[in-house]
Amino acid sequence: MSLAMLNNPHHKWMQVAILEAKKAFDFKEVPVGAVVVKNGVILGKGHNMIERLSDPTAHAEMLALTAATDTLGSKYLHGATIYVTLEPCPMCAGAIVLARLQNLVFGAFDAKSGAASTLYNIPQDPRLNHHVDIISGVEEDICSLLLKSFFEDRR
């Protein structure tokens, strides 16, 4: 990775999300990781724990949002950014809007359930009362490769 990329905060924080995704991979979970950051401070992190918790809502984003709201003691995360290795699904995209995040930064696009540009764009839907800025494709190659490796191992 180049020095310019390391100095870019989006790449720096996506690396933290990738480390979370690798934790999921090690537990045989779909390798998705997320981290919520505000003013250069991590408020919460998470990785998929759907299988371990037998909970269909235990997505990386949901766990990171819960940790972040616990940290702040507030249901709102004004001014915060969530970094996710995979484009959020409709549930997670909705939660990101409800939490009032400022930014969503994701790595890989999700052709099957992406709800932040691919199939839907929930965070920027003009009918909703809050809109989230989106930056996509950050560390996309690494995020995609991690997912491809996981699914190749499962076959």
Side-chain angles (χ1 to χ4, degrees), residues 31-91:
V32 178
V35 60
V36 177
V37 177
K38 183 175 180 181
N39 298 326
V41 176
I42 293 174
L43 301 178
K45 298 187 286 187
H47 57 273
N48 275 359
M49 295 180 68
I50 297 162
E51 301 302 326
R52 283 186 288 163
L53 297 178
S54 295
D55 180 353
T57 69
H59 290 203
E61 300 96 321
M62 301 300 282
L63 299 173
L65 290 172
T66 297
T69 57
D70 285 350
T71 297
L72 290 182
S74 171
K75 65 182 177 181
Y76 296 126
L77 299 170
H78 296 289
T81 298
I82 187 166
Y83 294 86
V84 189
T85 59
L86 180 64
E87 180 182 0
C89 72
M91 174 184 67

Side-chain angles (χ1 to χ4, degrees), residues 99-142:
R100 307 290 195 266
L101 280 105
Q102 181 174 342
N103 303 299
L104 160 63
V105 180
F106 71 86
F109 291 84
D110 187 347
K112 294 185 178 181
S113 63
S117 69
T118 302
L119 299 179
Y120 311 101
N121 191 345
I122 293 170
Q124 295 181 334
D125 189 316
R127 297 167 293 183
L128 300 176
N129 65 344
H130 180 74
H131 303 109
V132 180
D133 292 330
I134 300 172
I135 298 171
S136 58
V138 176
E139 301 290 357
E140 182 178 3
D141 292 343
I142 295 168

Side-chain angles (χ1 to χ4, degrees), residues 9-24:
H10 296 315
H11 292 282
K12 172 187 171 183
W13 296 120
M14 187 61 75
Q15 288 298 320
V16 176
I18 290 167
L19 290 175
E20 286 295 313
K22 288 178 179 178
K23 290 178 187 177

